[in-house]
Amino acid sequence: MTNTVMSYENAAEMGLSAEEFDRVCAHMGRIPNLTELGVFSAMWSEHCSYKSSRRWLKTLPTTGDRVIQGPGENAGVVDIGDGWAAVFKIESHNHPSFIEPYQGAATGVGGILRDVFTMGARPVALLNALRFGAPDHPLTRYLVSGVVAGIGGYGNCIGIPTIGGEVNFNPSYNSNILVNAMAVGLARADRIFYSAASGAGNPVYYIGAKTGRDGIHGATMASAEFNEDAASKRPTVQVGDPFAGKLLLEASLELMDSDSVVAIQDMGAAGLTSSSVEMSAKGGLGMEIDLDQVPVREDGMSAYEIMLSESQERMLVILKPEAAETAREILSKWDLDCAEIGHVTDTGRLVLMKDGALAADIPLAPLVDDAPEYDRPHEQSPALPVIDSGTISTGDSVITVLKTLLASHHLASRRWIWEQYDRDVMADTIASSGGDAALVRVHGSDRGIAVTTDCTPRYVKADPEMGCMQAVAEAYRNISAIGATPIAITNNLNFGNPEKPLIMGQIAGSVTGMGKAAEALGTPVVSGNVSLYNETDGKAIDPAPVVGMVGAMDNVAQSAGIALDTKGLAIFIIGQDEKTNDGWLGCSVYADIMTDNPDAAPPPVDCAIELANGTFVRDQITAGVINAAHDIADGGMLPALAEMILAGGIGADICLPAGGNSHGWCFGEDQGRYLVATDQPDQLKDAAASAGVAATLIGTSGGKALKLTGGDSISIVELKTLHEGWMPDLMAKSPQR
């Protein structure tokens, strides 16, 4: 074992405080060496230990009738019927994607895919939630280009469809973009694989690509603020290989099908460190590893480098003793390394050998069970006023406002982005980007999985608790609008520095709001990720607690889309009665684009109403009464209607209310509402009355324009030009680094 004496300075360089270094020494009973301190720093990083958020995450609802596996494994697992399970998770790759956008985004996709197939599931869908800086910021086009290319490059090459997501632009992300990747897979419910080690003496195998020096201390880097030296952190960004990822996917699934696997774990953040520690700790056992047996790309790699490398496309597997030859044959067939590097022990310690000598000897419990957990001081965000819509409405015509909003960075089409992704590979995509939720068929059946991501950072910044409730509610509406039943949530909590009380207050409020909405809507949180210290030079991002939601359908043929593609359909607003015509314009897209955007409270969320309206819409879609449906969200009712018109190519005649605030009625962002189109209006009205759900007839489909009472109108051609022109125009300019 190296005799190099570690110090407080060494600990600080690895992201550990002086107090944490003292705790390490106490647990070790001595001063740790370099490798040992490196292992502690990775496992105690914010990225791996959730030391600032764990107290709050424990309050989230995580169980339910359909939950097979909640938080604590590589991914969450829920029952979707007929013996099938959906396996899913969302995770961030924020810092790496700012430093090196292509590889940062690509390895984010690769990493989240491994989390899913490590559970024994075949990935069937990818989504993403992206936040970039102001459109006119000099880095924005460069970062958008690189990130989109990285997502497409990995997903397209590995052959998994990228079918949904969201993209926002805001100056708070100028120097700290957010790249959240979500993956969904399918497995038989009785064939889920887990990571807990078992059986002292069982062999530990390394499978996949070789280990290099890329990504060393990536977990620690992801747990720190940025400064002007961000570019110097490029060596901490991993390098992905989607073709090797595809080989690893197929080899891992085949290995699991061969009944050879006791436990399996992806080498993600912190690489071999996290996989060996987590597998051992979950099983209440220990592990001994000979690092000389680890396949490496470079000569002379130290124990520290091997343990902290985050090289991609690697797995750690505990095999049944008799399965060695089977494993080697399978991995050889897929041209991947397969090396026995150690064995399970009953010592409760991680023992590392290198060059025939002891490199590290660490008690496992302190790395996981006794990792720091902080109850950081937190301040509640100041309450903002509820603004009367009439006080901020402009004198512009409704159509003029609609044109402005549709062509803005908030609402303009993201087609330029999602057309770079293969959305149809595997041939089971039913609905993808451009609607409320994506939908994939369970291959060979009528059953389907609906998926979506959602968050409105301006709401969360204004009121963290209510804003995060809204993120859950909108995801719920997205899933309901396609006709699927919402089941469960995965989350990615993106915030600034938790050591600042106001930021910690945002985290606490958001988790509280998420928990309330998830409980009320019956969508427990089964997996997730926390990404903190998203700051540059002390300036934090707008908080973005992204919600990924999964739902299920018995028959995908009964699904609805947003397209208004039939003449003569009656158009209703569900969740709004005829007397509600003022609308909530505070904290809205309208306020941001059309006014000086005064600070204002976001629209409130009533989960009981969300539940009733969502259930009603799903039931009517399944019954064949609703032909098309669309959640009313950013921008309000009229932009949502414009999106339905553009998707189907059929116009609409809309009757504006006789009184009240027409701008609020058209552009207010009141929650719990849907636009639906039906050829059975009487049946819809009767069903709504029976269910106690508000349903207001506002118009009829037909023609080639959106027409409003009073003669104001806009053609579909002009709508399309406005809506789809902004993003290509932005990206046509030369990107800058």
Side-chain angles (χ1 to χ4, degrees), residues 30 43 54 56-58 141 156 208 211 256 327 412 429 492 589 642:
R30 56 178 171 81
M43 294 307 301
R54 204 156 71 242
W56 294 97
L57 296 176
K58 292 175 182 177
R141 293 186 301 280
N156 296 352
T211 294
M256 286 183 269
T429 303
N492 206 135
V589 170

Side-chain angles (χ1 to χ4, degrees), residues 383-461:
L384 296 177
V386 174
I387 293 182
D388 182 273
S389 295
T391 65
I392 61 172
S393 298
T394 72
D396 299 292
S397 73
V398 167
I399 291 296
T400 297
V401 176
L402 177 64
K403 291 178 180 180
T404 304
L405 265 56
L406 281 182
S408 73
H409 65 275
H410 286 293
L411 301 183
S413 170
R414 284 17 177 184
R415 182 185 297 274
W416 183 93
I417 292 174
W418 49 258
E419 282 193 340
Q420 298 186 52
Y421 306 147
D422 190 335
R423 293 164 288 143
D424 297 313
V425 65
M426 302 180 75
D428 283 313
T429 303
I430 305 299
S432 61
S433 304
D436 284 313
L439 182 65
V440 290
R441 187 197 334 262
V442 177
H443 190 73
S445 76
D446 295 326
R447 188 167 298 278
I449 305 172
V451 289
T452 190
T453 62
D454 211 283
C455 180
T456 308
R458 67 179 182 277
Y459 290 171
V460 183
K461 184 180 181 181

Side-chain angles (χ1 to χ4, degrees), residues 449-593:
I449 305 172
V451 289
T452 190
T453 62
D454 211 283
C455 180
T456 308
R458 67 179 182 277
Y459 290 171
V460 183
K461 184 180 181 181
D463 184 334
E465 182 173 325
M466 189 62 70
C468 204
M469 289 181 68
Q470 189 276 337
V472 176
E474 186 169 345
Y476 181 89
R477 292 197 299 274
N478 289 341
I479 298 291
S480 297
I482 206 168
T485 300
I487 295 177
I489 287 170
T490 183
N491 61 41
N492 206 135
L493 308 181
N494 306 274
F495 294 90
N497 185 344
E499 298 167 49
K500 299 177 179 178
L502 190 60
I503 301 298
M504 195 64 230
Q506 292 176 344
I507 298 169
S510 294
V511 174
T512 300
M514 182 175 293
K516 288 180 177 179
E519 185 74 40
L521 297 175
T523 53
V525 180
V526 298
S527 62
N529 173 245
V530 175
S531 176
L532 307 183
Y533 296 94
N534 289 289
E535 299 197 3
T536 298
D537 294 328
K539 186 177 181 180
I541 62 164
D542 283 358
V546 175
V547 171
M549 187 174 287
V550 168
M553 290 195 74
D554 292 337
N555 187 349
V556 294
Q558 296 176 327
S559 63
I562 72 168
L564 199 63
D565 57 6
T566 303
K567 299 177 182 179
L569 299 178
I571 301 170
F572 286 81
I573 300 179
I574 304 300
Q576 179 174 316
D577 61 36
E578 295 178 354
K579 298 178 181 179
T580 306
N581 54 22
D582 287 333
W584 193 287
L585 289 180
C587 206
S588 67
V589 170
Y590 179 100
D592 187 56
I593 299 297

Side-chain angles (χ1 to χ4, degrees), residues 570-656:
I571 301 170
F572 286 81
I573 300 179
I574 304 300
Q576 179 174 316
D577 61 36
E578 295 178 354
K579 298 178 181 179
T580 306
N581 54 22
D582 287 333
W584 193 287
L585 289 180
C587 206
S588 67
V589 170
Y590 179 100
D592 187 56
I593 299 297
M594 303 302 300
T595 77
D596 58 2
N597 198 18
D599 290 338
V605 173
D606 187 321
C607 288
I609 291 175
E610 294 280 1
L611 189 65
N613 293 351
T615 301
F616 172 78
V617 169
R618 293 195 305 273
D619 288 347
Q620 298 307 304
I621 290 173
T622 302
V625 175
I626 290 176
N627 302 70
H630 194 8
D631 159 47
I632 299 176
D634 270 8
M637 183 277 295
L638 204 60
L641 179 61
E643 290 170 353
M644 296 179 76
I645 289 170
L646 289 169
I650 300 292
D653 289 315
I654 301 300
C655 183
L656 295 175

